[in-house]
Amino acid sequence: MKKSNGKIKYNIAVFISGRGSNLKSIVRYSLKNKTLYKVKVVISNKQKATGLLIAKKMRIESYYVDLTKSKKLGKRVLNILRKNDIKLVCLAGFMKILPAYFVKSYKGKIINIHPSLLPKYKGLNTHKRVIENNEKYTGCTIHYVNRFLDSGKIICQRKVKITKKDNKRSIEKKVLKIEHKMYPKIIDKILSNL
Ligand code: GAR
């Protein structure tokens, strides 16, 4: 925990697997607003994730570790988190299920953003399935992470309307737009309750 301008700042970690647009919005928000958090560490399970380049550009300590591959790697990440006094782990486009021992070690302190109105459309290819099922609405959900896929307690959801003109790409764009607005604010809100 650090004090900046007399305000407490909690260290958070962001886990990614790819593009990192949510990572970018989380970091940007913390730089522009009086947030309670600082993104201290970024962990990617993919070596070539664009999000890692974003982290480097923003001078954030970042690591490529596929923590789901072995307990040894998972423990390495837990050590990084502890060393950096991480209060909250935010999954942002992290496409693996965290092992049970890992979730237990950070119980109630790992959250995820998912591009659907959970409990509908857990897992991959959400937008494609939403279109195939002629849904009128979709959206995104932020939830606590447990050891099951996209199943932890829901923290917050936002809806977007699907029109006849929409396709997979346009829905992805709409949903990402609300994700980028919602995630940083929810992180701050959770930390304000610590
Ligand atoms: C986001 O839409 C996020 O909700 C989704 O992946 C995208 C990552 O984009 N996450 C999942 O599907 C997790 N099950 P980003 O890398 O640009 O933030």
Side-chain angles (χ1 to χ4, degrees), residues 81-100:
L81 300 183
R82 288 192 188 115
K83 214 176 79 194
N84 283 284
D85 192 23
I86 297 299
K87 294 286 187 261
L88 189 71
V89 173
C90 305
L91 310 187
F94 182 73
M95 306 310 263
K96 285 276 182 92
I97 297 177
L98 289 172

PDB file of all heavy atoms in Angstrom, residues 81-100:
ATOM      1  N   LEU A  81       3.078 -11.744  -6.599  1.00  0.00           N
ATOM      2  CA  LEU A  81       1.937 -10.982  -6.073  1.00  0.00           C
ATOM      3  C   LEU A  81       2.191 -10.560  -4.626  1.00  0.00           C
ATOM      4  O   LEU A  81       1.946  -9.424  -4.242  1.00  0.00           O
ATOM      5  CB  LEU A  81       0.642 -11.797  -6.155  1.00  0.00           C
ATOM      6  CG  LEU A  81       0.197 -12.249  -7.554  1.00  0.00           C
ATOM      7  CD1 LEU A  81      -1.137 -12.981  -7.474  1.00  0.00           C
ATOM      8  CD2 LEU A  81       0.073 -11.075  -8.526  1.00  0.00           C
ATOM      9  N   ARG A  82       2.737 -11.501  -3.837  1.00  0.00           N
ATOM     10  CA  ARG A  82       2.966 -11.192  -2.419  1.00  0.00           C
ATOM     11  C   ARG A  82       4.067 -10.153  -2.270  1.00  0.00           C
ATOM     12  O   ARG A  82       3.951  -9.219  -1.467  1.00  0.00           O
ATOM     13  CB  ARG A  82       3.308 -12.468  -1.658  1.00  0.00           C
ATOM     14  CG  ARG A  82       2.061 -13.338  -1.516  1.00  0.00           C
ATOM     15  CD  ARG A  82       2.243 -14.471  -0.537  1.00  0.00           C
ATOM     16  NE  ARG A  82       1.070 -15.333  -0.619  1.00  0.00           N
ATOM     17  CZ  ARG A  82       1.099 -16.597  -1.034  1.00  0.00           C
ATOM     18  NH1 ARG A  82       2.255 -17.169  -1.359  1.00  0.00           N
ATOM     19  NH2 ARG A  82      -0.011 -17.307  -1.095  1.00  0.00           N
ATOM     20  N   LYS A  83       5.116 -10.334  -3.055  1.00  0.00           N
ATOM     21  CA  LYS A  83       6.256  -9.395  -2.990  1.00  0.00           C
ATOM     22  C   LYS A  83       5.805  -7.967  -3.319  1.00  0.00           C
ATOM     23  O   LYS A  83       6.322  -6.997  -2.784  1.00  0.00           O
ATOM     24  CB  LYS A  83       7.311  -9.846  -4.009  1.00  0.00           C
ATOM     25  CG  LYS A  83       8.734  -9.577  -3.563  1.00  0.00           C
ATOM     26  CD  LYS A  83       9.735 -10.116  -4.548  1.00  0.00           C
ATOM     27  CE  LYS A  83       9.857  -9.178  -5.739  1.00  0.00           C
ATOM     28  NZ  LYS A  83      10.561  -9.784  -6.876  1.00  0.00           N
ATOM     29  N   ASN A  84       4.819  -7.867  -4.203  1.00  0.00           N
ATOM     30  CA  ASN A  84       4.344  -6.542  -4.621  1.00  0.00           C
ATOM     31  C   ASN A  84       3.122  -6.063  -3.837  1.00  0.00           C
ATOM     32  O   ASN A  84       2.488  -5.085  -4.230  1.00  0.00           O
ATOM     33  CB  ASN A  84       4.034  -6.547  -6.122  1.00  0.00           C
ATOM     34  CG  ASN A  84       5.295  -6.484  -6.951  1.00  0.00           C
ATOM     35  OD1 ASN A  84       5.909  -5.429  -7.070  1.00  0.00           O
ATOM     36  ND2 ASN A  84       5.710  -7.628  -7.482  1.00  0.00           N
ATOM     37  N   ASP A  85       2.796  -6.770  -2.777  1.00  0.00           N
ATOM     38  CA  ASP A  85       1.680  -6.393  -1.908  1.00  0.00           C
ATOM     39  C   ASP A  85       0.386  -6.169  -2.713  1.00  0.00           C
ATOM     40  O   ASP A  85      -0.290  -5.141  -2.576  1.00  0.00           O
ATOM     41  CB  ASP A  85       2.084  -5.114  -1.135  1.00  0.00           C
ATOM     42  CG  ASP A  85       1.118  -4.808  -0.009  1.00  0.00           C
ATOM     43  OD1 ASP A  85       0.442  -5.742   0.463  1.00  0.00           O
ATOM     44  OD2 ASP A  85       1.019  -3.620   0.373  1.00  0.00           O
ATOM     45  N   ILE A  86       0.081  -7.145  -3.576  1.00  0.00           N
ATOM     46  CA  ILE A  86      -1.088  -7.026  -4.452  1.00  0.00           C
ATOM     47  C   ILE A  86      -2.371  -7.304  -3.664  1.00  0.00           C
ATOM     48  O   ILE A  86      -2.517  -8.350  -3.037  1.00  0.00           O
ATOM     49  CB  ILE A  86      -0.964  -8.001  -5.654  1.00  0.00           C
ATOM     50  CG1 ILE A  86       0.250  -7.663  -6.522  1.00  0.00           C
ATOM     51  CG2 ILE A  86      -2.257  -8.017  -6.487  1.00  0.00           C
ATOM     52  CD1 ILE A  86       0.257  -6.289  -7.154  1.00  0.00           C
ATOM     53  N   LYS A  87      -3.303  -6.342  -3.729  1.00  0.00           N
ATOM     54  CA  LYS A  87      -4.548  -6.462  -2.972  1.00  0.00           C
ATOM     55  C   LYS A  87      -5.683  -7.037  -3.818  1.00  0.00           C
ATOM     56  O   LYS A  87      -6.663  -7.551  -3.288  1.00  0.00           O
ATOM     57  CB  LYS A  87      -4.986  -5.075  -2.462  1.00  0.00           C
ATOM     58  CG  LYS A  87      -4.038  -4.501  -1.437  1.00  0.00           C
ATOM     59  CD  LYS A  87      -4.183  -5.207  -0.088  1.00  0.00           C
ATOM     60  CE  LYS A  87      -3.382  -4.545   0.997  1.00  0.00           C
ATOM     61  NZ  LYS A  87      -2.106  -5.229   1.251  1.00  0.00           N
ATOM     62  N   LEU A  88      -5.564  -6.903  -5.140  1.00  0.00           N
ATOM     63  CA  LEU A  88      -6.635  -7.390  -6.006  1.00  0.00           C
ATOM     64  C   LEU A  88      -6.025  -7.849  -7.332  1.00  0.00           C
ATOM     65  O   LEU A  88      -5.158  -7.170  -7.876  1.00  0.00           O
ATOM     66  CB  LEU A  88      -7.639  -6.252  -6.264  1.00  0.00           C
ATOM     67  CG  LEU A  88      -8.940  -6.605  -6.978  1.00  0.00           C
ATOM     68  CD1 LEU A  88      -9.858  -7.434  -6.064  1.00  0.00           C
ATOM     69  CD2 LEU A  88      -9.690  -5.331  -7.411  1.00  0.00           C
ATOM     70  N   VAL A  89      -6.495  -9.007  -7.800  1.00  0.00           N
ATOM     71  CA  VAL A  89      -6.048  -9.514  -9.102  1.00  0.00           C
ATOM     72  C   VAL A  89      -7.214  -9.352 -10.075  1.00  0.00           C
ATOM     73  O   VAL A  89      -8.319  -9.829  -9.806  1.00  0.00           O
ATOM     74  CB  VAL A  89      -5.640 -11.004  -9.009  1.00  0.00           C
ATOM     75  CG1 VAL A  89      -5.341 -11.571 -10.391  1.00  0.00           C
ATOM     76  CG2 VAL A  89      -4.432 -11.171  -8.089  1.00  0.00           C
ATOM     77  N   CYS A  90      -6.971  -8.679 -11.186  1.00  0.00           N
ATOM     78  CA  CYS A  90      -8.038  -8.424 -12.167  1.00  0.00           C
ATOM     79  C   CYS A  90      -7.728  -9.180 -13.452  1.00  0.00           C
ATOM     80  O   CYS A  90      -6.722  -8.889 -14.110  1.00  0.00           O
ATOM     81  CB  CYS A  90      -8.121  -6.935 -12.462  1.00  0.00           C
ATOM     82  SG  CYS A  90      -8.333  -5.958 -10.977  1.00  0.00           S
ATOM     83  N   LEU A  91      -8.580 -10.127 -13.785  1.00  0.00           N
ATOM     84  CA  LEU A  91      -8.406 -10.849 -15.042  1.00  0.00           C
ATOM     85  C   LEU A  91      -9.037  -9.993 -16.138  1.00  0.00           C
ATOM     86  O   LEU A  91     -10.208  -9.597 -16.035  1.00  0.00           O
ATOM     87  CB  LEU A  91      -9.070 -12.223 -14.991  1.00  0.00           C
ATOM     88  CG  LEU A  91      -8.749 -13.121 -13.785  1.00  0.00           C
ATOM     89  CD1 LEU A  91      -9.360 -14.511 -13.986  1.00  0.00           C
ATOM     90  CD2 LEU A  91      -7.254 -13.238 -13.533  1.00  0.00           C
ATOM     91  N   ALA A  92      -8.247  -9.710 -17.169  1.00  0.00           N
ATOM     92  CA  ALA A  92      -8.741  -8.840 -18.252  1.00  0.00           C
ATOM     93  C   ALA A  92      -8.371  -9.493 -19.577  1.00  0.00           C
ATOM     94  O   ALA A  92      -7.281  -9.288 -20.097  1.00  0.00           O
ATOM     95  CB  ALA A  92      -8.130  -7.452 -18.123  1.00  0.00           C
ATOM     96  N   GLY A  93      -9.275 -10.344 -20.051  1.00  0.00           N
ATOM     97  CA  GLY A  93      -8.965 -11.094 -21.270  1.00  0.00           C
ATOM     98  C   GLY A  93      -7.977 -12.211 -20.980  1.00  0.00           C
ATOM     99  O   GLY A  93      -7.182 -12.578 -21.840  1.00  0.00           O
ATOM    100  N   PHE A  94      -8.043 -12.741 -19.768  1.00  0.00           N
ATOM    101  CA  PHE A  94      -7.181 -13.876 -19.389  1.00  0.00           C
ATOM    102  C   PHE A  94      -7.975 -15.141 -19.710  1.00  0.00           C
ATOM    103  O   PHE A  94      -9.045 -15.374 -19.147  1.00  0.00           O
ATOM    104  CB  PHE A  94      -6.844 -13.798 -17.894  1.00  0.00           C
ATOM    105  CG  PHE A  94      -5.931 -14.884 -17.426  1.00  0.00           C
ATOM    106  CD1 PHE A  94      -4.580 -14.863 -17.765  1.00  0.00           C
ATOM    107  CD2 PHE A  94      -6.398 -15.926 -16.648  1.00  0.00           C
ATOM    108  CE1 PHE A  94      -3.717 -15.866 -17.338  1.00  0.00           C
ATOM    109  CE2 PHE A  94      -5.557 -16.930 -16.216  1.00  0.00           C
ATOM    110  CZ  PHE A  94      -4.213 -16.899 -16.560  1.00  0.00           C
ATOM    111  N   MET A  95      -7.463 -15.937 -20.653  1.00  0.00           N
ATOM    112  CA  MET A  95      -8.283 -16.993 -21.236  1.00  0.00           C
ATOM    113  C   MET A  95      -8.033 -18.389 -20.667  1.00  0.00           C
ATOM    114  O   MET A  95      -8.267 -19.376 -21.354  1.00  0.00           O
ATOM    115  CB  MET A  95      -8.106 -16.996 -22.760  1.00  0.00           C
ATOM    116  CG  MET A  95      -8.385 -15.650 -23.401  1.00  0.00           C
ATOM    117  SD  MET A  95      -9.949 -14.913 -22.901  1.00  0.00           S
ATOM    118  CE  MET A  95     -10.970 -15.426 -24.251  1.00  0.00           C
ATOM    119  N   LYS A  96      -7.573 -18.468 -19.438  1.00  0.00           N
ATOM    120  CA  LYS A  96      -7.376 -19.779 -18.807  1.00  0.00           C
ATOM    121  C   LYS A  96      -8.146 -19.845 -17.488  1.00  0.00           C
ATOM    122  O   LYS A  96      -8.407 -18.807 -16.870  1.00  0.00           O
ATOM    123  CB  LYS A  96      -5.885 -19.982 -18.510  1.00  0.00           C
ATOM    124  CG  LYS A  96      -5.014 -20.297 -19.724  1.00  0.00           C
ATOM    125  CD  LYS A  96      -5.073 -21.779 -20.000  1.00  0.00           C
ATOM    126  CE  LYS A  96      -4.205 -22.210 -21.152  1.00  0.00           C
ATOM    127  NZ  LYS A  96      -2.879 -22.624 -20.757  1.00  0.00           N
ATOM    128  N   ILE A  97      -8.446 -21.071 -17.057  1.00  0.00           N
ATOM    129  CA  ILE A  97      -9.083 -21.221 -15.744  1.00  0.00           C
ATOM    130  C   ILE A  97      -7.967 -21.323 -14.704  1.00  0.00           C
ATOM    131  O   ILE A  97      -7.025 -22.112 -14.865  1.00  0.00           O
ATOM    132  CB  ILE A  97      -9.967 -22.481 -15.701  1.00  0.00           C
ATOM    133  CG1 ILE A  97     -11.105 -22.338 -16.715  1.00  0.00           C
ATOM    134  CG2 ILE A  97     -10.535 -22.707 -14.302  1.00  0.00           C
ATOM    135  CD1 ILE A  97     -11.999 -23.546 -16.817  1.00  0.00           C
ATOM    136  N   LEU A  98      -8.053 -20.522 -13.660  1.00  0.00           N
ATOM    137  CA  LEU A  98      -7.009 -20.552 -12.632  1.00  0.00           C
ATOM    138  C   LEU A  98      -7.145 -21.818 -11.787  1.00  0.00           C
ATOM    139  O   LEU A  98      -8.259 -22.209 -11.430  1.00  0.00           O
ATOM    140  CB  LEU A  98      -7.129 -19.328 -11.725  1.00  0.00           C
ATOM    141  CG  LEU A  98      -6.753 -17.984 -12.347  1.00  0.00           C
ATOM    142  CD1 LEU A  98      -7.104 -16.845 -11.401  1.00  0.00           C
ATOM    143  CD2 LEU A  98      -5.268 -17.937 -12.703  1.00  0.00           C
ATOM    144  N   PRO A  99      -6.006 -22.452 -11.442  1.00  0.00           N
ATOM    145  CA  PRO A  99      -6.085 -23.657 -10.618  1.00  0.00           C
ATOM    146  C   PRO A  99      -6.666 -23.369  -9.227  1.00  0.00           C
ATOM    147  O   PRO A  99      -6.534 -22.251  -8.725  1.00  0.00           O
ATOM    148  CB  PRO A  99      -4.628 -24.120 -10.501  1.00  0.00           C
ATOM    149  CG  PRO A  99      -3.793 -23.158 -11.226  1.00  0.00           C
ATOM    150  CD  PRO A  99      -4.651 -22.090 -11.820  1.00  0.00           C
ATOM    151  N   ALA A 100      -7.301 -24.389  -8.647  1.00  0.00           N
ATOM    152  CA  ALA A 100      -8.021 -24.220  -7.371  1.00  0.00           C
ATOM    153  C   ALA A 100      -7.109 -23.679  -6.266  1.00  0.00           C
ATOM    154  O   ALA A 100      -7.504 -22.783  -5.517  1.00  0.00           O
ATOM    155  CB  ALA A 100      -8.634 -25.547  -6.953  1.00  0.00           C
TER     156      ALA A 100
END
